[in-house]
Amino acid sequence: MKTLFKLFLLLFVAAAVAGVVTVVKRRETSGPVSYDEWPTVPENPAA
């Protein structure tokens, strides 16, 4: 029972660290979002 508890605690800590790393990476890669102008989209020549 003690070993099972240690394993669960280790998995919990690993999941928490992975979650924090994911949030930090997502925050770094997301650039500023501007809602004042439309995104540049190439025109469709077939239209």
Side-chain angles (χ1 to χ4, degrees), residues 9-32:
L9 189 62
L10 181 68
L11 287 175
F12 180 77
V13 170
V17 169
V20 169
V21 168
T22 304
V23 168
V24 168
K25 279 189 175 183
R26 187 180 302 154
R27 193 175 300 154
E28 287 177 357
T29 57
S30 64

